[in-house]
């Protein structure tokens, strides 16, 4: 209906992680976070190469097509750090749902209000993160671990898009992607 179809499929709540699942996330995150700089950059480069329309929000590299050039972009590296930093805050606070919720609400609000980013890009980015994590750390990302991370990314997306609803996001999903 009006206001974009992405809202219609929104569940009542994000599915909470069990204690065992939380532990799996935290144990695998340790390995990713040790390489956070490289992983973050890899995630964003794959995101922008595969979904070039997402570059429109970044003045510094919106016209770049070359991944090596993108990799040198200070703006891209800075954003990579922020993305990984946000996930780190989520992982470190999985025991505190209120904190997770408020952190991701701030992320959602900033992207909706200040940057006017289409919410579907969060869904895409979550998928790219899962891909890169499991490709770069295959020894830790077994099928079970991937399933748990998929559940976490679903929760991340749920919280972020909740903030869009709260600020009254009504832009129709663009067909650019």
């Amino acid at each position: 209906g009006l206001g974009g179809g992405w809202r219609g499929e929104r569940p009542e709540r994000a599915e909470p992680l069990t204690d065992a699942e939380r532990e799996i996330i935290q144990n695998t995150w340790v390995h990713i976070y040790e390489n956070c700089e490289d992983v973050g950059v890899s995630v964003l480069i794959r995101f922008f190469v595969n979904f070039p329309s997402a570059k429109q929000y970044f003045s510094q590299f919106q016209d770049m097509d070359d991944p090596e050039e993108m990799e040198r972009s200070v703006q891209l590296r800075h954003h990579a750090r922020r993305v990984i930093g946000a996930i780190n805050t989520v992982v470190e606070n999985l025991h505190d749902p209120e904190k997770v919720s408020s952190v991701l609400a701030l992320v959602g609000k900033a992207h909706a209000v200040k940057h006017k980013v289409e919410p579907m890009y969060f869904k895409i980015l979550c998928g790219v993160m899962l891909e890169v994590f499991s490709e770069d750390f295959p020894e830790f990302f077994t099928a079970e671990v991937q399933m748990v991370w998929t559940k976490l990314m679903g929760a991340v997306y749920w919280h972020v898009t909740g903030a869009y609803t709260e600020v009254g996001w009504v832009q129709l999903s663009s067909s650019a992607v």
Side-chain angles (χ1 to χ4, degrees):
L2 229 90
W6 62 277
R7 252 190 239 165
E9 59 196 48
R10 183 175 165 79
E12 289 277 304
R13 61 181 185 138
E15 202 187 332
L17 296 171
T18 65
D19 290 348
E21 288 172 335
R22 272 206 319 249
E23 204 172 307
I24 286 172
I25 296 286
Q26 285 162 336
N27 291 344
T28 49
W29 180 248
V30 172
H31 304 287
I32 298 169
Y33 201 62
E34 280 171 3
N35 303 276
C36 56
E37 189 88 19
D38 294 337
V39 176
V41 170
S42 297
V43 165
L44 285 191
I45 287 176
R46 180 170 306 185
F47 179 55
F48 293 125
V49 167
N50 292 351
F51 303 93
S53 62
K55 288 185 294 188
Q56 67 185 299
Y57 305 107
F58 295 90
S59 57
Q60 202 191 88
F61 55 86
Q62 57 188 6
D63 301 319
M64 287 182 192
D65 294 318
D66 175 23
E68 281 174 31
E69 197 187 348
M70 277 186 218
E71 204 171 331
R72 291 191 294 269
S73 159
V74 174
Q75 194 183 30
L76 185 140
R77 301 190 77 88
H78 180 67
H79 201 69
R81 271 198 294 275
R82 296 188 68 158
V83 170
I84 296 294
I87 299 295
N88 187 53
T89 303
V90 167
V91 171
E92 283 185 347
N93 291 283
L94 286 176
H95 59 280
D96 183 354
E98 292 301 306
K99 171 83 175 167
V100 168
S101 180
S102 66
V103 165
L104 293 173
L106 285 173
V107 170
K109 218 161 268 183
H111 284 77
V113 177
K114 207 167 107 190
H115 312 299
K116 314 247 185 297
V117 173
E118 287 278 356
M120 57 167 177
Y121 285 114
F122 280 97
K123 194 171 221 162
I124 296 168
L125 184 61
C126 284
V128 172
M129 277 196 265
L130 290 169
E131 267 177 32
V132 170
F133 292 174
S134 50
E135 283 173 29
D136 287 3
F137 304 92
E139 64 276 35
F140 306 113
F141 274 75
T142 59
E144 185 200 10
V145 169
Q146 285 188 51
M147 224 162 65
V148 177
W149 270 94
T150 300
K151 189 174 170 182
L152 177 66
M153 289 301 177
V156 167
Y157 179 70
W158 187 88
H159 284 293
V160 167
T161 51
Y164 275 75
T165 308
E166 241 163 72
V167 299
W169 180 271
V170 288
Q171 200 167 334
L172 287 162
S173 192
S174 95
S175 51
V177 168

